[in-house]
Amino acid sequence: YGYGDMDLNKTYDMIMNKWKWGNFDQKHLFVDRSYMAELQAMKLVMLRAAIEFERAGNKKRAVEMANKYFAAFPNMNFPYDYGIVPFINVLVQGEAWEDVKKHTSILATETRQYLDFYASQTDPDVINNFKQDEQARMSTVQDILEIAKKTGDPAFTKKMEDLMGEYSKQPEINPQNFQ
C-alpha cells in the first residue's frame, strides 16, 4: 500500500463506495490496539490516494479523500495527533478552508490538553515516560500554527496562537547550552 503504481479511480471507488466502516462514525467505541495494523494500512492507502490525486491536479478528489478519512476515523474514536497533519495539509492544498479550520481546531484543542497534562506532572519517572510523546506534541504545535497562517484568516490564526499559548514559544538557542 505504500509503493508501486496506484489505480486512483479504482482506489477511490473502493474507499468511497465499497469499504465498510462499521460504527466508527456512529458510536463512541473502544478500538482495541490489536486492530491498529489494519487501521494504519487503511489510513496509509487513503493518504497516499489523497496525495496522488493532489499531484494529478485533482484537488476535488484529494479533498474528498481527506474528508472521508476524517468521517471514517472520527476524533471521538481516534484522538487527533501529529499523524493527521498530512490529511490537514491535503485540505490546505485543496483550499478547503472550513475543513482545515475544523480539524486544526480539534487537533489544537487535544494537543493543548495533552501538553497541559504533561506540564502538570511532578514525578520524574512519569515525566520521563511521557517525554517522547510530549516532544511529538510540541512539534505538532508548530504544525498547527503554520497551518493556521496558511488559512489567511487572522482571527483563526490568533485563536490558534492563543490556544497554544506558552507552548507556541520556541526555546531560545543559547550557545552556552552546547558546552
Side-chain angles (χ1 to χ4, degrees):
Y1 45 75
Y3 300 100
D5 292 336
M6 178 179 251
D7 183 331
L8 286 176
N9 292 324
K10 186 174 184 176
T11 302
Y12 181 88
D13 182 53
M14 294 291 290
I15 292 170
M16 296 300 199
N17 303 312
K18 295 184 178 155
W19 282 10
K20 303 296 181 205
W21 298 104
N23 283 324
F24 288 152
D25 61 339
Q26 304 291 320
K27 297 178 181 177
H28 191 107
L29 303 168
F30 171 74
V31 182
D32 189 282
R33 291 223 175 260
S34 66
Y35 292 102
M36 288 304 167
E38 183 177 344
L39 297 174
Q40 184 68 11
M42 295 168 82
K43 177 180 178 179
L44 288 174
V45 168
M46 295 174 85
L47 180 58
R48 183 162 177 230
I51 290 170
E52 291 300 324
F53 277 123
E54 182 183 307
R55 284 185 185 150
N58 193 336
K59 289 183 178 185
K60 179 179 183 281
R61 283 210 166 170
V63 167
E64 288 172 351
M65 189 63 63
N67 279 327
K68 183 66 169 183
Y69 170 78
F70 288 116
F73 298 99
N75 171 258
M76 69 181 172
N77 289 321
F78 302 92
Y80 284 9
D81 62 15
Y82 57 88
I84 63 135
V85 171
F87 285 101
I88 295 174
N89 282 329
V90 168
L91 297 174
V92 168
Q93 293 302 316
E95 300 176 351
W97 301 121
E98 292 310 309
D99 295 327
V100 169
K101 292 175 191 178
K102 173 184 174 184
H103 297 294
T104 303
S105 293
I106 295 169
L107 176 61
T109 299
E110 290 201 1
T111 298
R112 175 66 193 231
Q113 290 170 349
Y114 274 98
L115 289 171
D116 285 347
F117 167 75
Y118 304 141
S120 74
Q121 300 308 303
T122 57
D123 183 315
D125 289 334
V126 172
I127 293 168
N128 245 4
N129 288 334
F130 284 112
K131 192 50 112 181
Q132 188 174 13
D133 189 50
E134 180 184 24
Q135 290 169 342
R137 299 274 179 187
M138 287 299 293
S139 174
T140 305
V141 169
Q142 296 311 308
D143 292 330
I144 291 164
L145 297 176
E146 288 175 24
I147 290 166
K149 289 175 187 169
K150 289 177 183 177
T151 66
D153 181 341
F156 181 72
T157 300
K158 174 135 178 45
K159 179 180 172 186
M160 293 299 99
E161 289 170 349
D162 290 348
L163 183 57
M164 294 297 92
E166 68 273 13
Y167 301 115
S168 64
K169 309 295 185 266
Q170 288 290 335
E172 288 186 34
I173 297 175
N174 184 343
Q176 295 172 333
N177 293 341
F178 296 106
Q179 294 179 11

Short mmCIF file of all heavy atoms in Angstrom, two decimals, residues 23-29 73-80 110:
data_model
loop_
_atom_site.label_atom_id
_atom_site.label_comp_id
_atom_site.label_asym_id
_atom_site.label_seq_id
_atom_site.Cartn_x
_atom_site.Cartn_y
_atom_site.Cartn_z
N ASN A 23 -19.19 0.94 12.83
CA ASN A 23 -19.83 2.03 13.56
C ASN A 23 -18.85 3.08 14.06
O ASN A 23 -19.18 3.86 14.95
CB ASN A 23 -20.61 1.46 14.76
CG ASN A 23 -21.91 0.84 14.33
OD1 ASN A 23 -22.56 1.33 13.42
ND2 ASN A 23 -22.28 -0.24 14.96
N PHE A 24 -17.65 3.11 13.51
CA PHE A 24 -16.67 4.10 13.96
C PHE A 24 -17.23 5.51 13.92
O PHE A 24 -16.91 6.33 14.77
CB PHE A 24 -15.42 4.07 13.09
CG PHE A 24 -14.54 2.87 13.30
CD1 PHE A 24 -13.75 2.42 12.25
CD2 PHE A 24 -14.49 2.18 14.49
CE1 PHE A 24 -12.91 1.33 12.41
CE2 PHE A 24 -13.67 1.09 14.66
CZ PHE A 24 -12.88 0.66 13.62
N ASP A 25 -18.04 5.79 12.92
CA ASP A 25 -18.56 7.14 12.76
C ASP A 25 -19.92 7.34 13.43
O ASP A 25 -20.46 8.43 13.42
CB ASP A 25 -18.66 7.50 11.28
CG ASP A 25 -19.59 6.57 10.51
OD1 ASP A 25 -19.85 5.44 10.99
OD2 ASP A 25 -20.06 6.97 9.44
N GLN A 26 -20.46 6.27 14.02
CA GLN A 26 -21.79 6.34 14.61
C GLN A 26 -21.80 6.35 16.13
O GLN A 26 -22.64 6.99 16.74
CB GLN A 26 -22.62 5.13 14.14
CG GLN A 26 -22.73 4.99 12.64
CD GLN A 26 -23.56 6.07 11.99
OE1 GLN A 26 -24.59 6.45 12.53
NE2 GLN A 26 -23.11 6.57 10.86
N LYS A 27 -20.89 5.58 16.72
CA LYS A 27 -20.91 5.38 18.17
C LYS A 27 -19.53 5.58 18.74
O LYS A 27 -18.53 5.31 18.09
CB LYS A 27 -21.36 3.95 18.49
CG LYS A 27 -22.75 3.62 18.04
CD LYS A 27 -23.09 2.18 18.37
CE LYS A 27 -24.48 1.84 17.89
NZ LYS A 27 -24.82 0.45 18.12
N HIS A 28 -19.52 6.00 20.00
CA HIS A 28 -18.26 6.08 20.73
C HIS A 28 -17.86 4.65 21.09
O HIS A 28 -18.57 3.97 21.82
CB HIS A 28 -18.43 6.94 21.98
CG HIS A 28 -17.13 7.27 22.62
ND1 HIS A 28 -16.58 8.52 22.56
CD2 HIS A 28 -16.24 6.51 23.30
CE1 HIS A 28 -15.42 8.52 23.19
NE2 HIS A 28 -15.20 7.31 23.64
N LEU A 29 -16.73 4.20 20.54
CA LEU A 29 -16.31 2.82 20.71
C LEU A 29 -14.91 2.74 21.30
O LEU A 29 -14.12 3.67 21.18
CB LEU A 29 -16.29 2.11 19.34
CG LEU A 29 -17.59 2.11 18.56
CD1 LEU A 29 -17.35 1.64 17.13
CD2 LEU A 29 -18.61 1.22 19.25
N PHE A 73 -12.77 7.80 10.38
CA PHE A 73 -11.98 7.66 11.61
C PHE A 73 -12.17 8.91 12.47
O PHE A 73 -11.25 9.72 12.62
CB PHE A 73 -10.50 7.46 11.27
CG PHE A 73 -10.23 6.21 10.49
CD1 PHE A 73 -10.07 6.24 9.12
CD2 PHE A 73 -10.16 4.98 11.14
CE1 PHE A 73 -9.83 5.09 8.40
CE2 PHE A 73 -9.93 3.81 10.43
CZ PHE A 73 -9.76 3.86 9.04
N PRO A 74 -13.37 9.09 13.00
CA PRO A 74 -13.68 10.34 13.71
C PRO A 74 -12.90 10.50 15.01
O PRO A 74 -12.51 9.51 15.65
CB PRO A 74 -15.18 10.23 13.99
CG PRO A 74 -15.42 8.76 14.05
CD PRO A 74 -14.48 8.15 13.06
N ASN A 75 -12.73 11.73 15.36
CA ASN A 75 -11.99 12.09 16.56
C ASN A 75 -12.53 11.41 17.82
O ASN A 75 -11.76 11.11 18.71
CB ASN A 75 -12.04 13.62 16.69
CG ASN A 75 -11.49 14.09 18.00
OD1 ASN A 75 -12.25 14.43 18.89
ND2 ASN A 75 -10.19 14.09 18.12
N MET A 76 -13.82 11.15 17.86
CA MET A 76 -14.38 10.55 19.08
C MET A 76 -13.81 9.16 19.34
O MET A 76 -13.77 8.70 20.48
CB MET A 76 -15.90 10.50 19.01
CG MET A 76 -16.46 9.54 18.01
SD MET A 76 -18.27 9.62 18.02
CE MET A 76 -18.63 8.60 16.61
N ASN A 77 -13.36 8.47 18.30
CA ASN A 77 -12.79 7.13 18.46
C ASN A 77 -11.30 7.07 18.14
O ASN A 77 -10.64 6.09 18.50
CB ASN A 77 -13.54 6.14 17.58
CG ASN A 77 -14.93 5.87 18.10
OD1 ASN A 77 -15.14 5.77 19.30
ND2 ASN A 77 -15.89 5.79 17.21
N PHE A 78 -10.80 8.08 17.46
CA PHE A 78 -9.40 8.12 17.07
C PHE A 78 -8.85 9.51 17.37
O PHE A 78 -8.87 10.40 16.51
CB PHE A 78 -9.26 7.80 15.56
CG PHE A 78 -9.82 6.47 15.21
CD1 PHE A 78 -11.15 6.34 14.80
CD2 PHE A 78 -9.05 5.32 15.31
CE1 PHE A 78 -11.69 5.10 14.49
CE2 PHE A 78 -9.59 4.07 15.01
CZ PHE A 78 -10.90 3.96 14.59
N PRO A 79 -8.41 9.72 18.62
CA PRO A 79 -7.94 11.05 19.01
C PRO A 79 -6.88 11.58 18.04
O PRO A 79 -6.04 10.84 17.54
CB PRO A 79 -7.35 10.82 20.40
CG PRO A 79 -8.08 9.62 20.92
CD PRO A 79 -8.30 8.75 19.71
N TYR A 80 -6.96 12.87 17.80
CA TYR A 80 -6.05 13.52 16.86
C TYR A 80 -4.65 13.67 17.47
O TYR A 80 -4.51 14.00 18.65
CB TYR A 80 -6.56 14.91 16.49
CG TYR A 80 -7.72 14.93 15.52
CD1 TYR A 80 -8.41 13.78 15.15
CD2 TYR A 80 -8.13 16.13 14.98
CE1 TYR A 80 -9.46 13.83 14.26
CE2 TYR A 80 -9.20 16.19 14.08
CZ TYR A 80 -9.85 15.03 13.73
OH TYR A 80 -10.89 15.09 12.83
N GLU A 110 -6.88 19.19 21.42
CA GLU A 110 -6.33 17.96 22.01
C GLU A 110 -4.85 18.10 22.33
O GLU A 110 -4.39 17.61 23.37
CB GLU A 110 -6.57 16.78 21.08
CG GLU A 110 -8.03 16.42 21.03
CD GLU A 110 -8.29 15.00 20.57
OE1 GLU A 110 -7.34 14.24 20.29
OE2 GLU A 110 -9.47 14.65 20.49
#
